[in-house]
Amino acid sequence: MSNIRANRVGEQMKKELASMFTRDLKDPRIEFITVTGVDVTGDLQQAKVFITVLGDDEKKNDALQALTKAKGYIRSEIGKRIQLRKTPEIMFEFDESIDYGNRIESLLKEIHHEDDK
Protein backbone atom coordinates (compact mmCIF):
# COMPACT_ATOMS: atom_id res chain seq x y z
CA MET A 1 0.00 0.00 0.00
CA SER A 2 2.82 2.43 0.78
CA ASN A 3 4.33 1.85 -2.69
CA ILE A 4 1.14 3.05 -4.35
CA ARG A 5 1.13 6.19 -2.23
CA ALA A 6 4.84 6.77 -2.84
CA ASN A 7 4.26 6.49 -6.60
CA ARG A 8 1.37 8.96 -6.45
CA VAL A 9 3.42 11.42 -4.39
CA GLY A 10 6.29 11.02 -6.86
CA GLU A 11 4.07 11.75 -9.85
CA GLN A 12 2.57 14.80 -8.12
CA MET A 13 6.07 16.04 -7.25
CA LYS A 14 7.12 15.56 -10.87
CA LYS A 15 4.24 17.74 -12.09
CA GLU A 16 4.88 20.44 -9.50
CA LEU A 17 8.63 20.50 -10.13
CA ALA A 18 8.11 20.86 -13.88
CA SER A 19 5.74 23.74 -13.21
CA MET A 20 8.21 25.39 -10.83
CA PHE A 21 11.11 25.08 -13.26
CA THR A 22 9.16 26.77 -16.06
CA ARG A 23 7.34 29.48 -14.06
CA ASP A 24 8.69 30.18 -10.59
CA LEU A 25 12.47 29.80 -10.60
CA LYS A 26 14.18 32.76 -12.28
CA ASP A 27 17.72 31.40 -12.39
CA PRO A 28 18.85 31.26 -16.05
CA ARG A 29 20.83 28.07 -15.36
CA ILE A 30 17.53 26.23 -14.82
CA GLU A 31 16.04 27.08 -18.23
CA PHE A 32 16.62 23.78 -20.04
CA ILE A 33 15.89 21.26 -17.30
CA THR A 34 13.40 18.43 -17.79
CA VAL A 35 12.19 16.26 -14.92
CA THR A 36 12.13 12.68 -16.19
CA GLY A 37 11.15 10.92 -12.98
CA VAL A 38 10.85 11.04 -9.22
CA ASP A 39 11.49 8.04 -6.96
CA VAL A 40 10.06 8.43 -3.46
CA THR A 41 10.91 6.00 -0.68
CA GLY A 42 8.07 4.02 0.90
CA ASP A 43 8.17 6.10 4.10
CA LEU A 44 8.05 9.36 2.05
CA GLN A 45 11.23 10.63 3.70
CA GLN A 46 13.43 10.95 0.60
CA ALA A 47 12.82 11.73 -3.05
CA LYS A 48 15.32 11.22 -5.83
CA VAL A 49 14.55 13.57 -8.74
CA PHE A 50 15.93 12.52 -12.12
CA ILE A 51 16.62 15.37 -14.54
CA THR A 52 18.00 15.93 -18.01
CA VAL A 53 19.64 19.14 -19.13
CA LEU A 54 19.91 20.36 -22.69
CA GLY A 55 23.52 21.30 -23.34
CA ASP A 56 27.08 20.26 -22.64
CA ASP A 57 28.67 19.08 -19.40
CA GLU A 58 29.28 22.65 -18.21
CA LYS A 59 25.56 23.47 -18.53
CA LYS A 60 24.71 20.26 -16.67
CA ASN A 61 27.02 21.15 -13.80
CA ASP A 62 25.70 24.73 -13.67
CA ALA A 63 22.12 23.46 -13.59
CA LEU A 64 22.92 21.01 -10.79
CA GLN A 65 24.58 23.80 -8.78
CA ALA A 66 21.54 26.04 -9.28
CA LEU A 67 19.19 23.27 -8.14
CA THR A 68 21.35 22.54 -5.11
CA LYS A 69 21.30 26.22 -4.20
CA ALA A 70 17.51 26.41 -4.56
CA LYS A 71 16.83 23.07 -2.82
CA GLY A 72 15.39 24.67 0.32
CA TYR A 73 12.97 26.85 -1.63
CA ILE A 74 11.97 23.95 -3.87
CA ARG A 75 11.30 21.70 -0.88
CA SER A 76 9.19 24.32 0.90
CA GLU A 77 7.16 25.01 -2.25
CA ILE A 78 6.57 21.29 -2.81
CA GLY A 79 5.38 21.04 0.79
CA LYS A 80 2.90 23.86 0.27
CA ARG A 81 1.59 22.58 -3.04
CA ILE A 82 1.23 18.89 -2.16
CA GLN A 83 0.31 19.45 1.50
CA LEU A 84 2.16 16.56 3.06
CA ARG A 85 2.77 16.28 6.78
CA LYS A 86 6.50 15.99 6.15
CA THR A 87 8.03 16.98 2.84
CA PRO A 88 10.58 14.48 1.48
CA GLU A 89 14.27 15.39 1.38
CA ILE A 90 15.08 16.08 -2.29
CA MET A 91 18.17 14.82 -4.11
CA PHE A 92 18.81 15.68 -7.76
CA GLU A 93 20.50 13.23 -10.14
CA PHE A 94 21.09 13.17 -13.86
CA ASP A 95 19.02 10.67 -15.82
CA GLU A 96 21.56 8.71 -17.82
CA SER A 97 18.97 6.52 -19.55
CA ILE A 98 18.50 8.94 -22.47
CA ASP A 99 22.25 9.06 -23.17
CA TYR A 100 22.38 5.28 -22.81
CA GLY A 101 19.51 4.85 -25.27
CA ASN A 102 21.14 7.21 -27.76
CA ARG A 103 24.39 5.27 -27.51
CA ILE A 104 22.63 1.96 -28.17
CA GLU A 105 20.79 3.48 -31.13
CA SER A 106 24.03 4.79 -32.66
CA LEU A 107 25.69 1.37 -32.22
CA LEU A 108 22.75 -0.36 -33.91
CA LYS A 109 22.90 2.08 -36.83
CA GLU A 110 26.63 1.47 -37.12
CA ILE A 111 26.10 -2.32 -37.21
CA HIS A 112 23.30 -1.95 -39.75
CA HIS A 113 25.49 0.31 -41.90
CA GLU A 114 28.34 -2.25 -41.82
CA ASP A 115 25.92 -5.05 -42.85
CA ASP A 116 24.87 -3.01 -45.90
CA LYS A 117 28.46 -2.83 -47.11
Side-chain angles (χ1 to χ4, degrees), residues 14-91:
K14 182 178 171 183
K15 289 177 191 174
E16 296 299 334
L17 285 168
S19 172
M20 286 174 61
F21 291 165
T22 56
R23 296 188 192 126
D24 298 339
L25 297 174
K26 303 298 182 200
D27 194 330
R29 298 175 291 181
I30 301 178
E31 285 180 348
F32 300 111
I33 292 179
T34 304
V35 179
T36 57
V38 178
D39 285 343
V40 180
T41 58
D43 59 358
L44 305 178
Q45 294 294 313
Q46 296 176 336
K48 196 178 292 186
V49 179
F50 294 98
I51 59 168
T52 58
V53 179
L54 186 63
D56 57 358
D57 287 338
E58 183 179 342
K59 289 212 180 240
K60 288 180 181 182
N61 290 332
D62 288 346
L64 191 59
Q65 288 176 352
L67 289 174
T68 303
K69 184 177 177 183
K71 192 183 289 190
Y73 171 76
I74 292 170
R75 186 176 179 196
S76 67
E77 279 297 309
I78 291 293
K80 290 176 190 173
R81 293 179 184 198
I82 298 181
Q83 298 178 350
L84 293 172
R85 190 176 307 162
K86 184 170 186 327
T87 307
E89 181 69 32
I90 298 173
M91 295 169 286

Coordinates of all heavy atoms in Angstrom, one line a residue, residues 14-91:
K14 N 6.6 15.4 -9.5 CA 7.1 15.6 -10.9 C 6.4 16.7 -11.6 O 7.0 17.6 -12.2 CB 7.0 14.2 -11.6 CG 7.5 14.3 -13.0 CD 7.4 12.9 -13.7 CE 7.7 13.0 -15.2 NZ 7.5 11.7 -15.8
K15 N 5.1 16.7 -11.5 CA 4.2 17.7 -12.1 C 4.6 19.1 -11.5 O 4.7 20.1 -12.2 CB 2.8 17.4 -11.9 CG 2.3 16.3 -12.7 CD 0.8 16.0 -12.4 CE 0.3 14.7 -13.0 NZ -1.0 14.4 -12.6
E16 N 4.6 19.2 -10.2 CA 4.9 20.4 -9.5 C 6.3 21.0 -9.8 O 6.5 22.2 -10.0 CB 4.7 20.3 -8.0 CG 3.2 20.0 -7.6 CD 2.2 21.1 -8.0 OE1 2.6 22.2 -8.2 OE2 1.1 20.7 -8.2
L17 N 7.3 20.1 -9.8 CA 8.6 20.5 -10.1 C 8.7 21.0 -11.6 O 9.4 22.1 -11.8 CB 9.6 19.3 -9.9 CG 9.9 19.0 -8.5 CD1 10.7 17.6 -8.4 CD2 10.8 20.1 -7.9
A18 N 8.1 20.4 -12.5 CA 8.1 20.9 -13.9 C 7.5 22.2 -14.0 O 8.0 23.1 -14.6 CB 7.4 19.9 -14.8
S19 N 6.4 22.4 -13.2 CA 5.7 23.7 -13.2 C 6.6 24.8 -12.6 O 6.8 25.9 -13.1 CB 4.4 23.6 -12.4 OG 3.9 24.9 -12.2
M20 N 7.3 24.4 -11.5 CA 8.2 25.4 -10.8 C 9.4 25.8 -11.7 O 9.8 26.9 -11.8 CB 8.7 24.8 -9.5 CG 7.7 24.7 -8.4 SD 8.3 23.9 -7.0 CE 9.7 24.9 -6.5
F21 N 9.9 24.8 -12.4 CA 11.1 25.1 -13.3 C 10.8 26.0 -14.4 O 11.6 26.8 -14.9 CB 11.7 23.8 -13.8 CG 12.4 22.9 -12.8 CD1 12.7 21.6 -13.0 CD2 12.7 23.4 -11.5 CE1 13.3 20.8 -12.1 CE2 13.3 22.6 -10.5 CZ 13.6 21.3 -10.8
T22 N 9.5 25.9 -14.9 CA 9.2 26.8 -16.1 C 8.6 28.1 -15.6 O 8.8 29.1 -16.4 CB 8.1 26.1 -16.9 OG1 7.0 25.7 -16.1 CG2 8.7 24.8 -17.6
R23 N 8.0 28.2 -14.5 CA 7.3 29.5 -14.1 C 8.0 30.2 -12.9 O 8.1 31.4 -12.9 CB 5.9 29.2 -13.7 CG 5.1 28.7 -14.9 CD 3.6 28.6 -14.5 NE 2.9 27.9 -15.6 CZ 2.2 26.8 -15.3 NH1 2.0 26.4 -14.1 NH2 1.6 26.2 -16.3
D24 N 8.4 29.5 -11.8 CA 8.7 30.2 -10.6 C 10.2 30.5 -10.4 O 10.5 31.6 -9.9 CB 8.2 29.3 -9.4 CG 6.7 29.1 -9.4 OD1 6.0 29.9 -10.0 OD2 6.3 28.1 -8.8
L25 N 11.0 29.6 -10.8 CA 12.5 29.8 -10.6 C 13.0 30.7 -11.7 O 12.9 30.4 -12.9 CB 13.2 28.5 -10.6 CG 12.8 27.6 -9.4 CD1 13.5 26.2 -9.5 CD2 13.1 28.2 -8.1
K26 N 13.7 31.8 -11.3 CA 14.2 32.8 -12.3 C 15.6 32.6 -12.6 O 16.2 33.4 -13.4 CB 14.0 34.2 -11.7 CG 12.5 34.5 -11.3 CD 11.6 34.4 -12.5 CE 10.2 34.8 -12.1 NZ 9.2 34.3 -13.1
D27 N 16.3 31.6 -12.1 CA 17.7 31.4 -12.4 C 17.9 31.0 -13.8 O 17.3 30.0 -14.3 CB 18.3 30.3 -11.4 CG 19.8 30.3 -11.4 OD1 20.4 30.6 -12.5 OD2 20.4 29.9 -10.4
P28 N 18.7 31.6 -14.6 CA 18.9 31.3 -16.1 C 19.5 29.9 -16.3 O 19.4 29.3 -17.3 CB 19.7 32.4 -16.6 CG 20.4 33.0 -15.5 CD 19.5 32.8 -14.3
R29 N 20.2 29.4 -15.2 CA 20.8 28.1 -15.4 C 19.8 26.9 -15.3 O 20.1 25.8 -15.7 CB 21.8 27.9 -14.2 CG 23.0 28.9 -14.2 CD 23.9 28.7 -13.1 NE 23.2 29.1 -11.8 CZ 23.7 29.1 -10.6 NH1 24.9 28.7 -10.5 NH2 23.0 29.5 -9.6
I30 N 18.6 27.3 -15.0 CA 17.5 26.2 -14.8 C 16.6 26.2 -16.0 O 15.6 25.5 -16.1 CB 16.7 26.5 -13.5 CG1 17.7 26.4 -12.3 CG2 15.6 25.5 -13.3 CD1 17.1 26.6 -11.0
E31 N 16.9 27.0 -17.1 CA 16.0 27.1 -18.2 C 15.8 25.8 -19.0 O 14.6 25.5 -19.4 CB 16.6 28.1 -19.2 CG 16.5 29.5 -18.8 CD 17.0 30.5 -19.8 OE1 17.8 30.0 -20.7 OE2 16.8 31.7 -19.6
F32 N 16.8 25.0 -19.2 CA 16.6 23.8 -20.0 C 16.6 22.5 -19.3 O 17.2 21.5 -19.7 CB 17.7 23.8 -21.1 CG 17.7 25.0 -22.0 CD1 18.6 26.0 -21.9 CD2 16.6 25.2 -22.9 CE1 18.6 27.1 -22.7 CE2 16.5 26.3 -23.7 CZ 17.5 27.3 -23.6
I33 N 16.0 22.5 -18.1 CA 15.9 21.3 -17.3 C 14.6 20.6 -17.5 O 13.5 21.2 -17.6 CB 16.1 21.6 -15.8 CG1 17.5 22.1 -15.5 CG2 15.7 20.4 -14.9 CD1 17.7 22.5 -14.1
T34 N 14.6 19.2 -17.7 CA 13.4 18.4 -17.8 C 13.4 17.4 -16.7 O 14.4 16.7 -16.5 CB 13.4 17.7 -19.2 OG1 13.5 18.7 -20.2 CG2 12.1 16.9 -19.3
V35 N 12.3 17.3 -16.0 CA 12.2 16.3 -14.9 C 11.7 15.0 -15.6 O 10.6 15.0 -16.2 CB 11.2 16.7 -13.8 CG1 11.1 15.6 -12.8 CG2 11.6 18.0 -13.2
T36 N 12.5 13.9 -15.5 CA 12.1 12.7 -16.2 C 11.5 11.7 -15.2 O 10.8 10.8 -15.7 CB 13.4 12.0 -16.9 OG1 14.4 11.8 -15.9 CG2 13.9 12.9 -18.0
G37 N 11.7 11.8 -13.9 CA 11.1 10.9 -13.0 C 11.5 11.3 -11.6 O 12.4 12.1 -11.3
V38 N 10.6 10.8 -10.6 CA 10.9 11.0 -9.2 C 10.6 9.7 -8.5 O 9.5 9.1 -8.6 CB 9.9 12.1 -8.7 CG1 10.1 12.3 -7.2 CG2 10.1 13.4 -9.4
D39 N 11.6 9.2 -7.8 CA 11.5 8.0 -7.0 C 11.4 8.5 -5.5 O 12.3 9.1 -5.0 CB 12.7 7.1 -7.1 CG 12.7 6.4 -8.5 OD1 11.6 6.3 -9.1 OD2 13.8 5.9 -8.8
V40 N 10.3 8.1 -4.9 CA 10.1 8.4 -3.5 C 10.1 7.1 -2.7 O 9.6 6.1 -3.1 CB 8.7 9.1 -3.3 CG1 8.5 9.5 -1.8 CG2 8.6 10.4 -4.1
T41 N 10.8 7.2 -1.5 CA 10.9 6.0 -0.7 C 9.5 5.7 -0.1 O 8.7 6.6 0.0 CB 11.9 6.2 0.5 OG1 11.6 7.3 1.2 CG2 13.3 6.4 -0.1
G42 N 9.4 4.5 0.4 CA 8.1 4.0 0.9 C 7.6 4.8 2.1 O 6.4 5.0 2.3
D43 N 8.6 5.3 2.9 CA 8.2 6.1 4.1 C 8.0 7.6 3.8 O 7.8 8.4 4.7 CB 9.2 5.9 5.2 CG 10.6 6.3 4.9 OD1 10.8 6.7 3.7 OD2 11.5 6.2 5.7
L44 N 8.2 8.0 2.5 CA 8.0 9.4 2.0 C 9.1 10.3 2.7 O 8.8 11.5 2.8 CB 6.6 9.9 2.3 CG 5.5 9.1 1.7 CD1 4.1 9.7 2.0 CD2 5.6 8.9 0.2
Q45 N 10.2 9.8 3.1 CA 11.2 10.6 3.7 C 12.2 11.2 2.7 O 12.8 12.3 2.9 CB 12.0 9.8 4.8 CG 11.1 9.4 5.9 CD 10.7 10.6 6.7 OE1 11.5 11.4 7.1 NE2 9.4 10.6 7.0
Q46 N 12.5 10.5 1.6 CA 13.4 11.0 0.6 C 12.9 10.8 -0.8 O 12.1 9.9 -1.1 CB 14.7 10.1 0.7 CG 15.4 10.3 2.0 CD 16.7 9.4 2.1 OE1 16.7 8.4 1.4 NE2 17.6 9.8 2.9
A47 N 13.2 11.8 -1.6 CA 12.8 11.7 -3.0 C 14.0 12.0 -3.9 O 14.8 12.9 -3.7 CB 11.8 12.8 -3.3
K48 N 14.2 11.1 -4.9 CA 15.3 11.2 -5.8 C 14.7 11.7 -7.1 O 13.9 11.0 -7.7 CB 16.0 9.9 -6.0 CG 17.3 9.9 -6.7 CD 18.0 8.6 -6.8 CE 18.4 8.0 -5.5 NZ 19.1 6.8 -5.6
V49 N 15.1 12.9 -7.5 CA 14.5 13.6 -8.7 C 15.5 13.4 -9.9 O 16.7 13.8 -9.8 CB 14.3 15.1 -8.5 CG1 13.7 15.7 -9.7 CG2 13.3 15.3 -7.3
F50 N 15.1 12.8 -11.0 CA 15.9 12.5 -12.1 C 15.7 13.6 -13.1 O 14.5 13.9 -13.5 CB 15.7 11.2 -12.7 CG 16.1 10.0 -11.8 CD1 15.1 9.4 -11.0 CD2 17.4 9.6 -11.7 CE1 15.5 8.4 -10.2 CE2 17.8 8.6 -10.9 CZ 16.8 8.0 -10.1
I51 N 16.8 14.3 -13.6 CA 16.6 15.4 -14.5 C 17.5 15.2 -15.8 O 18.5 14.4 -15.7 CB 17.0 16.7 -13.9 CG1 18.5 16.7 -13.4 CG2 16.1 17.1 -12.8 CD1 19.0 18.0 -13.0
T52 N 17.1 15.8 -16.8 CA 18.0 15.9 -18.0 C 18.2 17.4 -18.3 O 17.3 18.2 -18.0 CB 17.4 15.2 -19.3 OG1 16.1 15.8 -19.5 CG2 17.3 13.8 -19.0
V53 N 19.3 17.7 -18.8 CA 19.6 19.1 -19.1 C 20.1 19.2 -20.6 O 20.9 18.4 -21.0 CB 20.8 19.7 -18.2 CG1 21.1 21.1 -18.5 CG2 20.4 19.5 -16.8
L54 N 19.5 20.2 -21.3 CA 19.9 20.4 -22.7 C 21.2 21.2 -22.7 O 21.3 22.3 -22.2 CB 18.8 21.1 -23.4 CG 19.0 21.3 -24.9 CD1 19.0 19.9 -25.6 CD2 17.9 22.2 -25.5
G55 N 22.3 20.6 -23.3 CA 23.5 21.3 -23.3 C 24.7 20.4 -23.0 O 24.5 19.2 -22.8
D56 N 25.9 21.0 -22.9 CA 27.1 20.3 -22.6 C 27.3 20.0 -21.1 O 26.4 20.3 -20.3 CB 28.3 21.0 -23.2 CG 28.4 22.4 -22.7 OD1 27.6 22.8 -21.9 OD2 29.4 23.1 -23.0
D57 N 28.4 19.4 -20.8 CA 28.7 19.1 -19.4 C 28.7 20.3 -18.5 O 28.3 20.2 -17.3 CB 30.0 18.3 -19.3 CG 29.8 16.9 -19.8 OD1 28.7 16.4 -19.9 OD2 30.9 16.3 -20.2
E58 N 29.2 21.4 -19.0 CA 29.3 22.6 -18.2 C 27.9 23.1 -17.8 O 27.6 23.5 -16.7 CB 30.0 23.7 -19.0 CG 30.2 25.0 -18.2 CD 31.0 26.1 -19.0 OE1 31.6 25.7 -20.0 OE2 30.9 27.2 -18.6
K59 N 26.9 23.1 -18.8 CA 25.6 23.5 -18.5 C 24.9 22.5 -17.5 O 24.1 22.9 -16.7 CB 24.7 23.5 -19.8 CG 25.1 24.6 -20.7 CD 23.9 25.1 -21.5 CE 24.3 26.2 -22.4 NZ 23.6 27.4 -22.1
K60 N 25.2 21.2 -17.6 CA 24.7 20.3 -16.7 C 25.2 20.6 -15.3 O 24.4 20.5 -14.3 CB 25.1 18.8 -17.1 CG 24.4 18.3 -18.3 CD 24.9 16.9 -18.6 CE 24.2 16.4 -19.9 NZ 24.5 15.0 -20.2
N61 N 26.5 20.8 -15.1 CA 27.0 21.1 -13.8 C 26.4 22.4 -13.2 O 26.1 22.5 -12.1 CB 28.5 21.2 -13.8 CG 29.2 19.9 -14.1 OD1 28.6 18.8 -13.7 ND2 30.3 19.8 -14.7
D62 N 26.3 23.5 -14.1 CA 25.7 24.7 -13.7 C 24.3 24.5 -13.2 O 23.8 25.1 -12.2 CB 25.7 25.8 -14.8 CG 27.1 26.3 -15.1 OD1 28.0 26.1 -14.2 OD2 27.3 26.9 -16.1
A63 N 23.5 23.7 -14.0 CA 22.1 23.5 -13.6 C 22.0 22.7 -12.3 O 21.2 23.0 -11.4 CB 21.4 22.7 -14.7
L64 N 22.9 21.8 -12.0 CA 22.9 21.0 -10.8 C 23.3 21.9 -9.6 O 22.7 21.8 -8.5 CB 23.9 19.8 -10.9 CG 23.8 18.8 -9.7 CD1 22.4 18.2 -9.7 CD2 24.8 17.7 -9.9
Q65 N 24.2 22.8 -9.8 CA 24.6 23.8 -8.8 C 23.4 24.7 -8.5 O 23.1 25.0 -7.3 CB 25.8 24.6 -9.2 CG 27.1 23.9 -9.2 CD 28.2 24.7 -9.7 OE1 28.1 25.8 -10.2 NE2 29.5 24.2 -9.6
A66 N 22.7 25.2 -9.5 CA 21.5 26.0 -9.3 C 20.4 25.3 -8.5 O 19.8 25.9 -7.6 CB 21.0 26.5 -10.6
L67 N 20.2 24.1 -8.8 CA 19.2 23.3 -8.1 C 19.6 23.0 -6.7 O 18.7 23.1 -5.8 CB 18.9 21.9 -8.9 CG 18.2 22.0 -10.2 CD1 18.2 20.7 -10.9 CD2 16.8 22.6 -10.0
T68 N 20.9 22.8 -6.5 CA 21.3 22.5 -5.1 C 21.2 23.8 -4.3 O 20.8 23.8 -3.1 CB 22.8 22.1 -5.1 OG1 22.9 20.9 -5.9 CG2 23.3 21.8 -3.7
K69 N 21.4 24.9 -4.9 CA 21.3 26.2 -4.2 C 19.8 26.5 -3.9 O 19.5 27.0 -2.8 CB 21.9 27.3 -5.1 CG 21.9 28.7 -4.4 CD 22.5 29.7 -5.3 CE 22.4 31.1 -4.7 NZ 22.9 32.1 -5.5
A70 N 18.9 26.1 -4.7 CA 17.5 26.4 -4.6 C 16.8 25.3 -3.9 O 15.5 25.3 -3.8 CB 16.9 26.7 -5.9
K71 N 17.5 24.3 -3.4 CA 16.8 23.1 -2.8 C 15.9 23.4 -1.7 O 14.8 22.8 -1.6 CB 17.9 22.1 -2.4 CG 17.4 20.7 -2.0 CD 18.5 19.8 -1.5 CE 19.4 19.4 -2.6 NZ 20.3 18.3 -2.1
G72 N 16.3 24.3 -0.8 CA 15.4 24.7 0.3 C 14.1 25.3 -0.1 O 13.0 25.0 0.4
Y73 N 14.2 26.2 -1.1 CA 13.0 26.9 -1.6 C 12.1 25.8 -2.3 O 10.9 25.8 -2.2 CB 13.4 28.0 -2.6 CG 12.2 28.5 -3.4 CD1 11.3 29.4 -2.7 CD2 12.0 28.2 -4.7 CE1 10.2 29.9 -3.4 CE2 10.9 28.7 -5.4 CZ 10.0 29.5 -4.8 OH 8.9 30.0 -5.4
I74 N 12.7 25.0 -3.1 CA 12.0 24.0 -3.9 C 11.2 23.0 -2.9 O 10.1 22.7 -3.1 CB 12.9 23.2 -4.8 CG1 13.4 24.1 -5.9 CG2 12.2 21.9 -5.4 CD1 14.6 23.4 -6.7
R75 N 11.9 22.6 -1.9 CA 11.3 21.7 -0.9 C 10.1 22.4 -0.2 O 9.1 21.8 0.0 CB 12.3 21.2 0.1 CG 11.8 20.2 1.1 CD 12.9 19.7 2.0 NE 12.3 18.7 2.9 CZ 12.9 18.3 4.0 NH1 14.1 18.8 4.3 NH2 12.3 17.4 4.8
S76 N 10.3 23.6 0.2 CA 9.2 24.3 0.9 C 8.0 24.5 0.0 O 6.8 24.4 0.4 CB 9.7 25.7 1.5 OG 10.0 26.6 0.5
E77 N 8.3 24.8 -1.3 CA 7.2 25.0 -2.3 C 6.4 23.7 -2.5 O 5.2 23.7 -2.6 CB 7.7 25.6 -3.6 CG 7.9 27.1 -3.6 CD 6.6 27.8 -3.4 OE1 5.6 27.6 -4.1 OE2 6.5 28.7 -2.5
I78 N 7.2 22.6 -2.6 CA 6.6 21.3 -2.8 C 5.7 21.0 -1.6 O 4.6 20.5 -1.8 CB 7.6 20.2 -3.0 CG1 8.3 20.4 -4.3 CG2 7.1 18.8 -2.9 CD1 7.5 20.1 -5.6
G79 N 6.2 21.3 -0.4 CA 5.4 21.0 0.8 C 4.1 21.8 0.8 O 3.0 21.3 1.2
K80 N 4.1 23.0 0.3 CA 2.9 23.9 0.3 C 1.9 23.3 -0.8 O 0.7 23.3 -0.5 CB 3.3 25.3 -0.1 CG 4.0 26.0 1.0 CD 4.4 27.4 0.6 CE 5.3 28.1 1.6 NZ 5.8 29.4 1.0
R81 N 2.5 23.0 -1.9 CA 1.6 22.6 -3.0 C 1.0 21.2 -2.9 O -0.2 21.0 -3.2 CB 2.4 22.6 -4.3 CG 2.8 24.0 -4.7 CD 3.6 24.0 -6.0 NE 4.0 25.4 -6.3 CZ 4.4 25.7 -7.5 NH1 4.5 24.9 -8.5 NH2 4.9 27.0 -7.7
I82 N 1.7 20.3 -2.3 CA 1.2 18.9 -2.2 C 0.5 18.7 -0.8 O -0.3 17.8 -0.7 CB 2.4 17.9 -2.4 CG1 2.9 18.0 -3.8 CG2 1.9 16.5 -2.1 CD1 4.0 17.0 -4.1
Q83 N 0.9 19.5 0.2 CA 0.3 19.5 1.5 C 0.5 18.1 2.2 O -0.4 17.4 2.6 CB -1.2 19.8 1.5 CG -1.4 21.2 1.0 CD -2.9 21.5 0.9 OE1 -3.7 20.7 1.0 NE2 -3.2 22.8 0.7
L84 N 1.8 17.8 2.3 CA 2.2 16.6 3.1 C 2.5 16.9 4.5 O 2.9 18.1 4.8 CB 3.4 15.9 2.4 CG 3.2 15.3 1.0 CD1 4.5 14.8 0.5 CD2 2.2 14.1 1.1
R85 N 2.4 16.0 5.4 CA 2.8 16.3 6.8 C 4.3 16.6 6.9 O 4.7 17.5 7.6 CB 2.4 15.1 7.7 CG 2.6 15.4 9.1 CD 2.1 14.2 10.0 NE 0.8 13.8 9.6 CZ 0.2 12.6 9.9 NH1 1.0 11.7 10.5 NH2 -1.0 12.3 9.5
K86 N 5.1 15.8 6.2 CA 6.5 16.0 6.1 C 6.9 15.9 4.7 O 6.7 14.9 4.0 CB 7.2 14.9 7.0 CG 8.7 15.2 7.1 CD 9.4 14.2 8.1 CE 10.8 14.5 8.3 NZ 11.6 15.0 7.2
T87 N 7.6 16.9 4.2 CA 8.0 17.0 2.8 C 9.3 16.2 2.7 O 10.2 16.3 3.5 CB 8.3 18.4 2.4 OG1 7.2 19.2 2.7 CG2 8.6 18.5 0.9
P88 N 9.4 15.3 1.7 CA 10.6 14.5 1.5 C 11.8 15.3 1.2 O 11.8 16.4 0.6 CB 10.3 13.6 0.2 CG 8.8 13.7 0.0 CD 8.4 15.0 0.7
E89 N 13.0 14.8 1.7 CA 14.3 15.4 1.4 C 14.5 15.1 -0.1 O 14.4 14.0 -0.6 CB 15.3 14.7 2.2 CG 16.7 15.3 2.0 CD 16.9 16.7 2.5 OE1 16.2 17.1 3.5 OE2 17.7 17.4 2.0
I90 N 14.9 16.2 -0.8 CA 15.1 16.1 -2.3 C 16.5 16.0 -2.7 O 17.4 16.7 -2.2 CB 14.5 17.3 -3.0 CG1 12.9 17.4 -2.7 CG2 14.7 17.3 -4.5 CD1 12.3 18.6 -3.2
M91 N 16.8 15.0 -3.5 CA 18.2 14.8 -4.1 C 18.0 14.8 -5.6 O 17.2 14.1 -6.2 CB 18.8 13.5 -3.7 CG 19.0 13.4 -2.2 SD 19.4 11.7 -1.7 CE 17.8 10.9 -1.8

